[in-house]
Amino acid sequence: MDDPQFNDIFNEDFDGNYDNVMNRIVDQINYPSCEGSGASVDGAGDDSNGNDSDDSNDNDDDDDVDDDSDGDEAFIIRRHFDRKKLIICTAGAINTYYINYMYKKPCMVSYNTGMRWLSEVLRGHWKRSVNMFRMDATTLLSLCTELETHHGLKPSRRMSVIEKVAMFLFTIAVGASNRQVQERFQHSGETISRCFKEVLKSLRLFVVEVIKPVDPQFTSTPREIAMNPRFMPHFKNCVGAIDGTHVRACIPSANQIPFIGRKGVPTQNVMAACSFDMQFMFVWAGWEGSAHDTRIFLEAIDSSNIKFPKPPEDKYYLVDVGYPNEYGYLGPYKGERYHFQEFRRRGQPSGRKEVFNRAHSSLRNVIERSFGVWKQRWKILQNMPAYPYKTQVEIVVTSMALHNYIRRSSQDDAVFSEYDHNPNLIPDDFLPDIVQASAVQGSQRPSRMDFVRDGIANSLMEQ
């Protein structure tokens, strides 16, 4: 019974002598059926001097029979013992395989589970919910109800809709990685990824309902114009503002060149139109960073496949100098001061063109302010993770839809309130231009909007 491999097992040194033990298993499997007995038979045939057994007497024959009987008994005992060792070795091998490849020690075992933490945040001070999810608890619960009721988001066996939505919002609000969300909500990385995709899929349907004009026919003058004597009645037919912005994109090195434009880093170019209460009415994301704003604009308004909310007759959007002065899209006078900072540095406007440009800039900056609120709220836009590019585009669009929803649902939102109380607050772009943006190339043909612009300029001078 004193076998070193057998003792290794009982002394819990199986791993240290693994190869020898497994070799012993192989030997046991291939153990010949006559081993031991053959040796006994061979030994019985010859004496120590090599003489034949024919010379032995009857007493010697009796001794040989006894020896054969003892050898058979020893063989049976040894065979039984080896089978026990085989069972132990096999069990040890199975146990090692299970520990190394099958058994997973629970990782997310914190008492403060995701749902417990979430409940604490939503029942606590309102700032906690705003800091973590960029919306107050009432707006968050309303959003969850909307997605579950109308846009196909369902709870799973172990997770509610509110926890799924909270994980998604936490990810895009603070720019959290998958591992950070795992630790915060105490779920596996696979679960986090799956729930993120489920919420994103639901929000894609949500986008269609939220990013659109509140008044599709543009029948009434926007309140922000009608209630402001600086703009009324001069801009009474204005329906919104259009501009483009850039968002960081995470692109493989081999494919980065088309995405590197005037920002000097890979970006996607996003065209948007907004109303004067800082809600997005149209979004077209996914363009490479090197694409010119004019190209995107012309394709948006000319393509029948793009559902751009075109202005009706005699109505128009405000655009900056980088866009063509097409009918329905009113730009400023070129070659004159335009931006608010220029007038602040160099004094009051002189002449009707500068008077028009200052009024135009003050009204059109709503699109820049909308971009500022949007980018300030969702930190993921400042450093996009390495999602597939299609997912990156969807994150941009859905975050704009959430921007609109917060504007409509939360009247006391802190970020919107800050911009409402400071009409000239235009945030700096966190992606400054490395290369100067080029204006529209070529000479501009005369447009009906030239006459509209001249009429407004004359009206402003008479004020």
Side-chain angles (χ1 to χ4, degrees), residues 118-246:
L118 178 58
S119 299
E120 177 187 321
V121 170
L122 296 182
R123 292 172 181 171
H125 195 280
W126 63 271
K127 282 188 177 180
R128 295 188 65 187
S129 179
V130 172
N131 290 339
M132 293 295 99
F133 311 119
R134 299 301 188 262
M135 60 184 71
D136 58 53
T138 302
T139 305
L140 175 56
L141 295 174
S142 174
L143 174 65
C144 294
T145 301
E146 179 77 17
L147 295 179
E148 183 175 8
T149 304
H150 302 292
H151 303 290
L153 184 61
K154 301 299 181 185
S156 58
R157 186 164 59 93
R158 295 184 178 179
M159 191 179 302
S160 63
V161 166
I162 187 172
E163 189 173 3
K164 291 183 178 183
V165 175
M167 287 194 299
F168 180 90
L169 293 176
F170 182 77
T171 301
I172 68 172
V174 304
S177 66
N178 184 284
R179 290 182 180 178
Q180 290 171 326
V181 182
Q182 289 180 47
E183 183 61 31
R184 178 64 279 173
F185 286 87
Q186 293 294 298
H187 290 294
S188 68
E190 187 276 333
T191 299
I192 300 295
S193 180
R194 184 181 68 252
C195 292
F196 186 91
K197 292 177 182 178
E198 290 177 8
V199 177
L200 188 61
K201 180 180 178 180
S202 178
L203 285 172
R204 289 202 301 266
L205 304 175
F206 180 71
V207 164
V208 180
E209 301 296 327
V210 177
I211 300 183
K212 63 181 182 181
V214 177
D215 177 14
Q217 303 303 318
F218 301 111
T219 55
S220 59
T221 300
R223 182 177 60 86
E224 292 77 11
I225 294 177
M227 301 297 291
N228 193 329
R230 290 183 60 198
F231 307 125
M232 186 68 184
H234 321 292
F235 293 95
K236 64 180 181 180
N237 292 326
C238 186
V239 299
I242 296 174
D243 203 358
T245 189
H246 287 254

Side-chain angles (χ1 to χ4, degrees), residues 294-347:
T294 303
R295 175 190 171 193
I296 303 172
F297 168 75
L298 292 176
E299 187 158 343
I301 66 174
D302 293 338
S303 175
S304 58
N305 296 325
I306 305 300
K307 297 180 180 180
F308 180 79
K310 295 182 179 180
E313 189 73 18
D314 296 329
K315 302 281 186 174
Y316 55 84
Y317 287 96
L318 298 181
V319 296
D320 70 8
V321 72
Y323 292 91
N325 207 32
E326 297 282 336
Y327 182 71
Y329 308 93
L330 180 64
Y333 288 104
K334 295 183 179 180
E336 307 288 343
R337 286 186 294 170
Y338 178 67
H339 294 287
F340 175 75
Q341 294 84 350
E342 296 177 290
F343 293 108
R344 186 169 55 182
R345 288 194 304 264
R346 296 163 52 190

Side-chain angles (χ1 to χ4, degrees), residues 403-414:
H403 165 102
N404 281 8
Y405 187 79
I406 295 171
R407 182 58 160 171
R408 297 176 188 179
S409 303
S410 181
Q411 301 301 320
D412 299 323
D413 180 76

Side-chain angles (χ1 to χ4, degrees), residues 7-305:
N7 292 336
D8 285 341
I9 297 171
F10 282 100
N11 293 330
E12 299 184 352
D13 192 27
F14 179 79
D15 291 338
N17 203 22
Y18 180 81
D19 291 339
N20 292 334
V21 172
M22 293 309 296
N23 290 336
R24 183 61 181 162
I25 293 176
V26 174
D27 292 341
Q28 175 65 23
I29 294 173
N30 296 324
Y31 201 102
S33 60
C34 61
E35 184 179 346
S37 62
S40 299
V41 173
D42 292 340
D46 297 323
D47 60 14
S48 60
N49 296 322
N51 297 325
D52 285 343
S53 60
D54 293 341
D55 297 333
S56 61
N57 52 29
D58 294 340
N59 291 332
D60 292 337
D61 291 342
D62 293 339
D63 292 340
D64 290 340
V65 171
D66 292 339
D67 291 341
D68 290 343
S69 176
D70 292 340
D72 290 343
E73 183 178 356
F75 170 75
I76 293 173
I77 294 174
R78 177 68 180 176
R79 184 77 173 192
H80 180 69
F81 176 67
D82 283 350
R83 285 178 178 174
K84 288 185 175 180
K85 288 198 297 183
L86 175 61
I87 293 173
I88 295 173
C89 292
T90 304
I94 294 173
N95 179 69
T96 300
Y97 182 87
Y98 174 77
I99 293 296
N100 291 337
Y101 301 105
M102 298 179 65
Y103 174 72
K104 294 183 179 180
K105 183 178 180 179
C107 178
M108 301 302 169
V109 293
S110 172
Y111 170 80
N112 194 23
T113 62
M115 196 61 205
R116 183 176 284 112
W117 172 77
L118 178 58
S119 299
E120 177 187 321
V121 170
L122 296 182
R123 292 172 181 171
H125 195 280
W126 63 271
K127 282 188 177 180
R128 295 188 65 187
S129 179
V130 172
N131 290 339
M132 293 295 99
F133 311 119
R134 299 301 188 262
M135 60 184 71
D136 58 53
T138 302
T139 305
L140 175 56
L141 295 174
S142 174
L143 174 65
C144 294
T145 301
E146 179 77 17
L147 295 179
E148 183 175 8
T149 304
H150 302 292
H151 303 290
L153 184 61
K154 301 299 181 185
S156 58
R157 186 164 59 93
R158 295 184 178 179
M159 191 179 302
S160 63
V161 166
I162 187 172
E163 189 173 3
K164 291 183 178 183
V165 175
M167 287 194 299
F168 180 90
L169 293 176
F170 182 77
T171 301
I172 68 172
V174 304
S177 66
N178 184 284
R179 290 182 180 178
Q180 290 171 326
V181 182
Q182 289 180 47
E183 183 61 31
R184 178 64 279 173
F185 286 87
Q186 293 294 298
H187 290 294
S188 68
E190 187 276 333
T191 299
I192 300 295
S193 180
R194 184 181 68 252
C195 292
F196 186 91
K197 292 177 182 178
E198 290 177 8
V199 177
L200 188 61
K201 180 180 178 180
S202 178
L203 285 172
R204 289 202 301 266
L205 304 175
F206 180 71
V207 164
V208 180
E209 301 296 327
V210 177
I211 300 183
K212 63 181 182 181
V214 177
D215 177 14
Q217 303 303 318
F218 301 111
T219 55
S220 59
T221 300
R223 182 177 60 86
E224 292 77 11
I225 294 177
M227 301 297 291
N228 193 329
R230 290 183 60 198
F231 307 125
M232 186 68 184
H234 321 292
F235 293 95
K236 64 180 181 180
N237 292 326
C238 186
V239 299
I242 296 174
D243 203 358
T245 189
H246 287 254
V247 175
R248 284 293 294 265
C250 189
I251 306 295
S253 300
N255 303 325
Q256 284 186 358
I257 293 179
F259 293 88
I260 300 178
R262 68 176 190 262
K263 302 297 182 178
V265 294
T267 62
Q268 58 169 301
N269 197 343
V270 182
M271 174 188 165
C274 78
S275 60
F276 292 105
D277 63 346
M278 292 191 284
Q279 291 192 53
F280 295 110
M281 300 187 294
F282 172 80
V283 174
W284 197 9
W287 283 83
E288 301 91 340
S290 61
H292 197 283
D293 290 349
T294 303
R295 175 190 171 193
I296 303 172
F297 168 75
L298 292 176
E299 187 158 343
I301 66 174
D302 293 338
S303 175
S304 58
N305 296 325

